Amino acid sequence: MTPSPTATGYAHREVTKPPNWHGLVVWDVMLNAVTTGVFLVAAVGDLARPTAFAPVAAWAYPLALAVLLADLVCLVLDLGNPLRFHHMLRVFKPSSPMSLGVWCLTAYSLPLTGLAACALFGWRTEWLHPALLVVALPFSFGSAAYKGVLFSTTAQPGWRDARWLGAYHVTSALAIGAGVLWALAEWLGASEAAGLLRWATAGLILLGVYPAVRFAVEFRASRVVMVVVTVLSFVLPLVLVATPQAAWVAAVALLVGGYVARSALVHRPHRS
Amino acid sequence: MAAEFDVTARGSPAADPPPGILGKVMRHLLHPFRRGTPPQPQPATGFYTDTSVCIGCKACEVACKQWNQLPADGFAFTGNSYDNTGALSAESWRHVKFVEQFDVLRSLRERVPGNGGGTSEPLAERAEHSPADGRLSLDVIPPPADRWLMMSDVCKHCAAAPCQHACPTGAIVYNEFGNVYIQPDICNGCAYCIAACPFGVITRSHFDGHAHKCTLCYDRQKDGLVPACAKACPTASIQFGPVAELRERAAKRVDELKQRGHAAAHLYGNQRTEAYSELHSFYLLLDRPAVYGLPDDPVNPWVHMRGDYLRTVAFGLAGLLLTLAVFLLAGRPA
């Protein structure tokens, strides 16, 4: 018996429905990577080599806060009912990555605001600054770590198979953060910090190769996206590491490559 | 009687906001943080849908819309049999699916003269030879191998629901009947439940921006009534009751169907699998689940969470340590 096309019923259809996540969520994921990446690298530098990193940190924390605020605006506006944004804080549910993420972002924002205020007003006290850094570090790390897991623990095509998405996102965030700070250090003329950040950027890009490859395979990314992301997020910045004058080009390449990858990620279920 | 109609006009002293704009803002901010007394747990209730007796009348869809005051979803020509609502949505909590399993090619071959089929007469000639009333003879009715499959789809009310697990606001809860319930005054439309559901049940409403789905007529159950769809179903395809009782009934029905020669009859979701919990709304199917638009082997996305976090944290910490090592070791005077 040759069945007619309707004999298969609904079998040819994707069962799941894509969530209403579009451009704002792409920006949210991207800004999440930038704010956490910039803060984490700056904080590690500030704690390890405070003298070398002081000029960079003075710009890094206000920058991380500004990007975080933009990220939070995207998160709120993307809700079906933005006026109910505070409902996110009525329960603490660590088993839900979104709940964990919201609490991490909230907890991260408070010491970051203090650090930004210290940087802007020049309040660099001996104990307050490192204390705020130590408090902010785990929450910033949590803010970076939850995002990929939020997507991979869904039933959506592409996301549900992406076991390495979280690892890709967090290593990419660190590489972006290091690249942006390297460019900032070059611009500020902080040569010692720039030299350190150059090698950190290269190391973090190389560290991210493995999770990126695994993620691309599982995610079944399109060839165009893979080529663009490979060139902008890996090849070009690594080539430019040898050229200090090209720090801004490397930073922009990392940012654009990261955006392209995240745009492909967010829109994947809508293509099924 | 007048007092009953007056209910909505009467305010509740506890719920009335303090006067003024500040009071309204305070109520908006504080209301979601209030907690009521949880009701006493009851035996779990659910649906057992026997698709072998579904006739596709859509009375369940209509009853659901009527009772829950749901707006129309826009009737469109889907090109798929008599399915005109297309899918479950925030406005359609019941959806009747139609599967036409007809061998159209064989049917056409049989009707072409000299093709070795069941008849060599063209349809027009057969009409001429038909009885005096001019109607086609009954042999155009498809043979028994061809069949309709119909199924009234609804939220599965999973025993371990990914949507409930995902919900960051606590809007999705299990009520006292073990049903998955979205509290409409708490949901803020984050859409994470939509992404988490492996059955594609939940969507976000265009009207209020919140997620909605079948409540299993929680309000009717609280008053001891049967859900509207089950009440309206004329063939008892949709049966409602305590889940344990429904499972027994469903198992007997499968045995009965198998004795009658329906070897493919089986239950879907009545028992937990390695990758998914049991469903409190389960089905008797006559074909593969995928044919009905159900995942053959549903997977709870949360089974991967621990591993995903481990990989993420491991590479994140490796990145931080690498950064720290570079900052501590590079650029130091020898």
Side-chain angles (χ1 to χ4, degrees), chain A residues 102-119:
Chain A
V102 166
W103 280 102
C104 279
L105 285 169
T106 307
Y108 163 52
S109 69
L110 301 175
L112 180 62
T113 306
L115 285 163
C118 286

Side-chain angles (χ1 to χ4, degrees), chain A residues 30 33-34 168 171-182 201-202 204-205 229 231-238 240-241 247-262:
Chain A
M30 186 62 204
V34 175
Y168 163 72
T171 49
S172 161
L174 289 171
I176 289 171
V180 168
L181 288 177
W182 173 33
T201 305
L204 289 167
I205 289 171
V229 173
V231 171
L232 292 179
S233 295
F234 296 95
V235 178
L236 189 58
L238 278 175
L240 293 174
V241 160
W248 279 104
V249 180
V252 170
L254 281 164
L255 287 168
V256 175
Y259 181 86
V260 171
R262 284 158 181 85

Side-chain angles (χ1 to χ4, degrees), chain B residues 26-299:
Chain B
M26 288 302 286
R27 185 175 185 279
H28 176 77
L29 291 175
L30 298 178
H31 165 74
F33 294 91
R34 285 183 172 176
R35 294 287 190 278
T37 313
Q40 285 294 316
Q42 307 284 325
T45 57
F47 288 127
Y48 152 48
T49 305
D50 181 351
T51 64
S52 71
V53 290
C54 179
I55 55 173
C57 68
K58 302 188 188 178
C60 50
E61 278 190 22
V62 175
C64 178
K65 280 203 181 273
Q66 195 170 21
W67 178 260
N68 294 297
Q69 300 184 341
L70 299 173
D73 220 357
F75 291 112
F77 178 63
T78 63
N80 180 31
S81 189
Y82 290 96
D83 186 347
N84 58 357
T85 42
L88 291 169
S89 72
E91 283 83 38
S92 293
W93 300 350
R94 272 273 174 194
H95 169 228
V96 180
K97 293 177 170 176
F98 293 82
V99 181
E100 297 180 23
Q101 293 186 327
F102 296 93
D103 187 353
V104 177
L105 293 176
R106 187 193 60 194
S107 196
L108 285 172
R109 274 198 302 272
E110 284 174 354
R111 291 172 194 182
V112 174
N115 207 22
T119 174
S120 57
E121 273 184 310
L123 285 176
E125 289 175 28
R126 287 162 68 194
E128 283 173 18
H129 297 153
S130 62
D133 61 3
R135 283 186 285 181
L136 285 172
S137 56
L138 288 176
D139 63 358
V140 296
I141 289 175
D146 296 340
R147 64 179 178 175
W148 286 90
L149 295 176
M150 284 158 277
M151 185 191 93
S152 179
D153 198 11
V154 72
C155 171
K156 314 301 177 289
H157 293 280
C158 313
C163 60
Q164 192 275 335
H165 198 118
C167 181
T169 63
I172 303 184
V173 295
Y174 287 100
N175 64 19
E176 64 265 40
F177 303 106
N179 313 143
V180 181
Y181 179 72
I182 303 178
Q183 301 176 80
D185 58 333
I186 300 298
C187 175
N188 65 6
C190 73
Y192 197 23
C193 55
I194 301 171
C197 178
F199 298 102
V201 168
I202 312 179
T203 61
R204 203 160 75 178
S205 170
H206 300 292
F207 294 98
D208 60 11
H210 308 148
H212 296 281
K213 68 164 194 74
C214 163
T215 64
L216 227 152
C217 281
Y218 183 37
D219 49 349
R220 289 177 66 94
Q221 283 197 67
K222 279 178 95 72
D223 286 340
L225 298 172
V226 171
C229 54
K231 186 76 178 173
C233 181
T235 63
S237 172
I238 302 171
Q239 299 185 28
F240 166 80
V243 176
E245 194 181 298
L246 292 175
R247 284 194 190 121
E248 278 180 32
R249 207 184 297 171
K252 280 183 192 164
R253 174 69 178 159
V254 170
D255 291 343
E256 188 185 317
L257 285 171
K258 285 192 169 166
Q259 281 170 10
R260 290 191 197 173
H262 293 280
H266 68 282
L267 294 177
Y268 178 84
N270 65 318
Q271 286 178 334
R272 64 175 301 165
T273 63
E274 271 186 25
Y276 210 83
S277 70
E278 65 271 30
L279 312 177
H280 285 175
S281 173
F282 60 96
Y283 296 83
L284 189 157
L285 305 178
L286 299 174
D287 206 328
R288 287 183 304 120
V291 171
Y292 295 90
L294 297 167
D296 283 328
D297 299 301
V299 176

Side-chain angles (χ1 to χ4, degrees), chain A residues 17 49 84 87 90 93 96 152, chain B residues 32 164 166 187 200 308 327:
Chain A
K17 294 201 180 75
R49 302 280 288 269
R84 290 188 179 182
H87 290 207
R90 70 181 284 279
K93 202 168 158 186
S96 164
S152 66
Chain B
Q164 192 275 335
C187 175
D308 290 2
F327 291 165

